[in-house]
Amino acid sequence: MAVVTENGQMWDLAATWGAEDRMNETEALMWRSENHPRLSSTICSLLILDRAPDWDRFMAANEWATELVPRCRQRVMDPLLPVGPPAWVPDEGFQLDYHVRRTHLPGDGSMAQLLEFAQTQALAPFDRTRPLWEGTLVEGLEGGRAAYLLKLHHSLTDGLGGIQLMSLVQSRTREHTPDKPSAPPRDAGYPSDPWELTATVMGEQVRRIPGVAARAVTGGARMLTGRSSALGEAVRYGSSLRRTLAAPPARSSPLLGDRRGSTWRFQVMECELADLKAAAKLARGSLNDAYVAALLGGLRRYHERHGVAIDDLSTVMPVSMRKTDDPMGGNKFAGAYFAAPIGIEDPVERIAVLRGIVLTLRVEPALDTLSVVAPLLNRVPSKIGQIAFDLVGSAAELSASNVPGVPYPVYMAGARVERVFPFGPLPGVAVMAAMISHNGTCCIGLNIDGDAVEDLDVFMECMQEGLVEVTSVVA
């Protein structure tokens, strides 16, 4: 493998991916509130390869990549008390052959068999004493192809950070890249044990008290003397907070109510990126608007098949909070909840309405509410955080995320990556949909609650029809 970006080889970026020594508060909440499988924080990427790579070369490439990206060899250390986020520390007993495995798919090697294998692997919880990732090379796919299932804990990164990582350790050519650099040394003062971490975090909290108090006094004085707009800003933020915390104004679907999250069903769809972009352009929307419109079209058809009329569907959409100068990796997103216009039959109109909804959501001052409440939830018993996390997740029936992938061919140890299908967890939703645009193809991965959707074949027929409906509007 070679570290690559659109501008060529940039080796130094890999060592800075996920370089923070501590989790942020949102990552800590996902880590401490996890209750498998309903509140799982496992995310997966299923890479379809045009051939099986040479195993020795593949393992050597993974050895190099894990040395270059320090986070791959780090585990989580919790403080003894919930006084602050956990730290990332080196796993002194790191074993690559535990994290990278190899298997052969039995039978005819169909996509259905591969997806069944992937969903089973995804449901297995991580060993929380080791680095939070696992990779499995799957051979024996039909047509001589292979697959690579990469499984990550969400506290490591969000979807965009995962794409950043893969783009850094994939090559632009099949040929072996000689003379790859080694990882630069890191002079990080890792805590030696949970006692030291606890003492360090508590000391940091104490040192922050004077600054917090001074800002509170200064802000209060300005509000009282009228020399600032802080009061008006606080009122606007409070109004936004009420809107963002309120449940989406959508009637619950009678078909998707039994959401236990104990059974995951992986399914995939794909379409040409150019077709989805053309549909978005026709409706003056974005690629994401067209993608969500296709999901809603399929879900409307599914309800119609069961004789259920529905106008709106409670939906959550992750919104990236990353800035251009933010370091790579980690989690920087907020969840935007809204009532999605599932009842609009015209796909162009549906895209246009979604455009207006999304633009309104993105300017909400309190959009990133989770980062505000996460520090509070991280200082109380984890059971309370689990309850809050479950309530937030259950507020929606559909979750839809979209992450831009690489626009050019990439390779892993000589095997070309043909597709990249993403799969997220089911934090209370009935359908978790994720899309990655990879080299001109939109790869859509669906994680479906098997308790909420029992007739999976009918459901997927409807979802495929919804995708075709949107991508065909300019035909």
Side-chain angles (χ1 to χ4, degrees), residues 142 239 279 293 312 433 438 457:
E142 56 188 2
S239 300
D312 301 295
H438 175 78
D457 291 341

Side-chain angles (χ1 to χ4, degrees), residues 147-377:
Y148 183 62
L149 176 64
L150 180 60
K151 174 180 167 184
L152 303 171
H153 195 282
H154 212 326
S155 61
L156 276 173
T157 186
D158 55 22
L160 185 54
I163 292 296
Q164 291 172 341
L165 176 62
M166 285 194 290
S167 69
L168 288 169
V169 296
Q170 291 174 338
S171 175
R172 296 286 291 271
T173 66
R174 285 193 191 272
E175 291 71 29
H176 171 66
T177 304
D179 303 322
K180 293 190 292 287
S182 58
R186 290 192 68 200
D187 184 20
Y190 299 105
S192 59
D193 55 50
W195 287 99
E196 181 184 348
L197 176 60
T198 304
T200 300
V201 174
M202 292 182 69
E204 292 171 350
Q205 301 292 344
V206 170
R207 288 192 292 273
R208 289 194 186 109
I209 291 175
V212 173
R215 287 193 296 271
V217 171
T218 302
R222 288 176 178 172
M223 288 173 63
L224 291 173
T225 57
R227 290 201 300 266
S228 107
S229 60
L231 181 59
E233 292 175 1
V235 171
R236 286 192 293 273
Y237 185 86
S239 300
S240 176
L241 193 63
R242 286 193 297 272
R243 291 191 296 270
T244 56
L245 291 180
R251 181 172 64 91
S252 297
S253 165
L255 301 181
L256 307 176
D258 188 13
R259 307 197 298 272
R260 283 173 275 181
S262 59
T263 306
W264 291 9
R265 295 287 181 261
F266 284 2
Q267 295 289 304
V268 297
M269 304 190 299
E270 64 180 71
C271 68
E272 293 296 319
L273 175 61
D275 292 341
L276 203 56
K277 281 186 172 180
K281 183 178 180 180
L282 182 65
R284 292 186 172 86
S286 68
L287 177 69
N288 187 71
D289 300 328
Y291 155 63
V292 176
L295 297 175
L296 295 177
L299 285 163
R300 190 192 74 252
R301 281 172 164 78
Y302 180 67
H303 283 79
E304 289 174 346
R305 289 274 193 103
H306 290 273
V308 175
I310 184 169
D311 293 325
D312 301 295
L313 188 76
S314 57
T315 302
V316 60
M317 183 178 66
V319 176
S320 177
M321 306 300 288
R322 290 180 184 271
K323 301 175 182 177
T324 55
D325 57 346
D326 280 340
M328 301 179 76
N331 286 269
K332 300 176 181 67
F333 69 93
Y337 289 81
F338 61 100
I342 189 174
I344 298 177
E345 295 189 12
D346 181 6
V348 176
E349 182 183 355
R350 198 184 317 136
I351 295 171
V353 171
L354 279 167
R355 174 82 308 222
I357 292 174
V358 172
L359 288 176
T360 301
L361 290 171
R362 286 182 179 275
V363 297
E364 283 284 6
L367 176 61
D368 195 15
T369 304
L370 183 59
S371 67
V372 176
V373 300
L376 303 176
L377 295 174

